[in-house]
Amino acid sequence: MQIPSPRRAPAVAGAVAACVLAVSLATAVTGRAADGRARAAEGAVPGAAAVHRAQEADALSGRLPLGPPGLEETRTVREIAPGLTHVAIERGRASADDFWTVTVGVATTEGDAAELEEAVRAAGYEPRRDHTAGPDPADPDGPPLGWLVRTGRYPDEAAARTVRNDLAVRVPAARVHATAEDGNGTSGPWSLDILVVDPGLFEGSIGSRLARGTVSGRETTGSIAARAGALAAVNGGYFVVGDAPPVPGPRAAGTEGDPGGIAVIRGDLVSEAVDGRPALLVPDGPGRGASVRRLRTEITAVASGGARREVTGLNRQAGLVLNCGGVGNARPFTRPAHDYTCGNDDELIAVTPVFGDTAPQGPGHQVTLDSAGRVTGVRQERGGPVPPDGVLLQGTGAGAVWLRENAVAGAAVRLESSVLDAELGVQPARIGRSSVVNGGPLLLRDGLVVLDPVRDGWSPEAIEGHDRAAFYNGWYQRRNPRTAAGVTEDGRIILLTADGRRPGHSVGLSIPETAEVMRGLGAVDAVNLDGGGSTAMVVHGELQGLPGDPAGERPVGDALVLLPDGGG
């Protein structure tokens, strides 16, 4: 695989041989699926918090498994192109049992609940406790995770917001919520859009595209689709929003637009994996052989003298590992932790032309490699222009020491890279010009719902004193706008977007509901992609549904685009 560059001319053979990030993936898809089905039949799906047998269903028939079975449901089906179908589904209705309320916090202990209740009483309101929608994932058969400490039952959002503004003086974290979004029983309504790609009939191609064609920066899904000339598109994986302090902690931090996990664009690896998290792989062309896999990346710098050093990051800011799951001396741990930024004081980061014109800056040591992998520049700090036909290696801590000792001017440094199937644990096959989009959590494996929030980074366990229970409840158990991708038994690709945060129009989906919906649409393997305000589907240049953010469609880091025959 060549060094990614949105501006590059075809690389010469020497550049490919000397300075390459070679990407590989497993060929044994059939073997993996068969092995997974065998394990499922034996009742041994490792780490699964919930396992259910899938039911075969066609994406264009069969009612959604949402709410009571007798709910009214309408579907509008249209062919975008041969082998590419759009299905719009409206289901359910607002329930008289749902109302607006003010949530002052999530409590997992009696003491925490009592403290929140006292704050509500001190503000002149009467508190109550509503159970969270599901249990602690560490004890899936146990009681609910805790309580939502709340006050009031209001007929509309405006009335609830008035109380919230009054309460915020004493409880700044108070939020207005619609109970239909809690994740418990409701009659909806739901508004969903589905793209069904049949690789046997679709004559176009499907792949991932970065916002603005670079790692840094964001762009709306609609704009990405228009720039690519796409028939349709959905938003892609997680990314840095860029509105957080550039330090490790309980928010996304780093370079705005940087993928929060693995990203492969037309066969170019442009962002390293969050170790072991799932991703969608779509081969070049109409999508034949698309799959959902847990992936990890291995990148190594090899000096001409034989010295080797692990490259801990690709096209990102040193010391900031979004969603954690990093390698080397990552702290406080190397396991995934969604929307938490881990740190690392001893990094070696590769910055390629696809990052953008200017490299991340800061203290450390930096060398420039030309297209033949030769050190042509040395700098005693990080930053500056990214060479259009080379690579920057940026070091901090022990990584900077390694560069000073092994990457002097005129020396040669070779980059080796591979993408591995974290479940198979073997070196997979080359992916050519395929795309890989990061996601999580894993929803379906071999026709089973296999939710494991702890493994995938949504554990409510506190990190370095930061309580994650409210985050887990709000992101995972409550209903939100969602985007998901899956593959059916016969190889069709299912792309789902669900409107949310708009009670009366669509209440959204919890993660367990997202898994069940994907199964009901016929997927056997499926992964959740970025959602919330990022959720967007565009068909023929028009946004489908309503954005989850009041401000409108959110600029994102990448998108999955479906291109006509010969599309770019």
Side-chain angles (χ1 to χ4, degrees):
M1 183 203 70
Q2 300 172 348
I3 298 172
S5 169
R7 304 178 295 279
R8 70 180 178 216
V12 298
V16 176
C19 193
V20 69
L21 299 181
V23 179
S24 304
L25 287 172
T27 54
V29 180
T30 303
R32 178 199 54 75
D35 178 66
R37 280 190 287 273
R39 286 187 282 106
E42 296 167 1
V45 180
V51 179
H52 305 285
R53 176 60 57 189
Q55 297 178 354
E56 294 297 329
D58 189 277
L60 307 184
S61 64
R63 291 180 173 272
L64 291 176
L66 290 172
L71 287 179
E72 181 180 356
E73 180 179 302
T74 61
R75 300 191 177 199
T76 303
V77 181
R78 57 173 167 160
E79 184 182 72
I80 302 171
L84 176 58
T85 304
H86 171 235
V87 187
I89 302 178
E90 305 293 329
R91 178 176 173 84
R93 61 183 182 279
S95 170
D97 295 330
D98 292 323
F99 54 88
W100 290 88
T101 190
V102 178
T103 304
V104 298
V106 178
T108 57
T109 69
E110 182 67 37
D112 289 343
E115 184 177 343
L116 289 171
E117 288 171 335
E118 180 56 33
V120 174
R121 292 190 182 96
Y125 295 91
E126 185 61 31
R128 74 172 186 280
R129 299 183 189 183
D130 292 346
H131 279 297
T132 60
D136 186 331
D139 183 17
D141 296 323
L145 175 68
W147 303 276
L148 301 167
V149 178
R150 291 169 153 171
T151 187
R153 300 168 182 263
Y154 307 104
D156 54 52
E157 183 178 7
R161 194 163 297 281
T162 298
V163 174
R164 183 267 170 196
N165 293 341
D166 189 28
L167 267 169
V169 177
R170 291 179 178 272
V171 191
R175 295 289 182 268
V176 171
H177 283 151
T179 58
E181 299 172 343
D182 281 353
N184 296 308
T186 186
S187 58
W190 289 275
S191 180
L192 298 89
D193 288 275
I194 299 102
L195 292 173
V196 183
V197 186
D198 185 341
L201 299 174
F202 185 49
E203 296 181 349
S205 62
I206 179 171
S208 180
R209 296 294 182 270
L210 292 172
R212 309 197 315 184
T214 60
V215 165
S216 56
R218 296 191 290 147
E219 185 179 4
T220 64
T221 300
S223 178
I224 296 172
R227 183 164 51 80
L231 298 167
V234 298
N235 67 287
Y238 301 110
F239 59 93
V240 176
V241 175
D243 61 352
V247 296
R251 295 185 67 189
T255 300
E256 185 170 19
D258 176 25
I262 189 170
V264 175
I265 309 294
R266 295 170 172 170
D268 288 335
L269 178 65
V270 301
S271 178
E272 80 276 15
V274 173
D275 195 20
R277 284 235 290 197
L280 174 70
L281 185 156
V282 183
D284 188 38
R288 291 184 181 88
S291 61
V292 174
R293 313 202 191 160
R294 293 188 180 276
L295 301 174
R296 59 186 178 90
T297 47
E298 290 183 356
I299 310 172
T300 305
V302 184
S304 54
R308 303 173 68 88
R309 174 78 188 185
E310 183 175 43
V311 176
T312 51
L314 178 60
N315 292 319
R316 65 167 171 81
Q317 177 68 258
L320 299 175
V321 188
L322 176 59
N323 296 329
C324 299
V327 295
N329 295 328
R331 54 180 168 81
F333 43 65
T334 59
R335 69 178 184 270
H338 191 73
D339 268 7
Y340 197 96
T341 303
C342 282
N344 192 336
D345 297 326
D346 301 297
E347 295 240 67
L348 186 58
I349 303 291
V351 182
T352 72
V354 77
F355 178 82
D357 293 327
T358 306
Q361 62 182 5
H365 190 78
Q366 177 177 292
V367 302
T368 301
L369 305 180
D370 65 13
S371 60
R374 189 73 57 181
V375 177
T376 60
V378 177
R379 181 171 172 155
Q380 301 306 315
E381 60 181 358
R382 296 178 291 115
V386 180
D389 57 354
V391 174
L392 297 181
L393 290 180
Q394 298 185 330
T396 60
V401 172
W402 188 90
L403 284 178
R404 292 189 183 100
E405 293 177 349
N406 298 281
V408 298
V413 179
R414 183 178 75 256
L415 295 178
E416 299 176 347
S417 177
S418 60
V419 178
L420 305 178
D421 189 310
E423 292 174 310
L424 291 177
V426 297
Q427 172 88 20
R430 294 185 180 277
I431 65 169
R433 288 171 56 84
S434 298
S435 293
V436 178
V437 178
N438 79 80
L442 184 67
L443 303 174
L444 303 175
R445 169 64 78 221
D446 302 318
L448 308 176
V449 174
V450 285
L451 296 177
D452 193 344
V454 174
R455 177 178 182 180
D456 284 339
W458 279 268
S459 173
E461 182 181 4
I463 302 175
E464 294 189 321
H466 298 289
D467 186 5
R468 299 267 291 177
F471 168 74
Y472 172 75
N473 178 76
W475 196 103
Y476 196 97
Q477 294 181 318
R478 285 180 56 79
R479 295 184 175 100
N480 288 284
R482 305 285 183 187
T483 304
V487 182
T488 66
E489 186 71 35
D490 60 4
R492 288 173 299 156
I493 300 169
I494 306 291
L495 301 175
L496 163 75
T497 60
D499 288 1
R501 298 176 186 165
R502 292 183 177 271
H505 164 66
S506 184
V507 296
L509 299 173
S510 68
I511 286 296
E513 286 175 333
T514 305
E516 292 291 355
V517 167
M518 290 300 290
R519 186 178 68 158
L521 293 172
V524 292
D525 291 337
V527 60
N528 187 70
L529 301 179
D530 191 17
S534 299
T535 288
M537 179 183 290
V538 174
V539 177
H540 289 315
E542 295 185 357
L543 185 66
Q544 306 303 301
L546 300 176
D549 281 356
E553 187 184 355
R554 174 190 292 172
V556 296
D558 65 349
L560 270 170
V561 296
L562 292 122
L563 305 171
D565 185 24

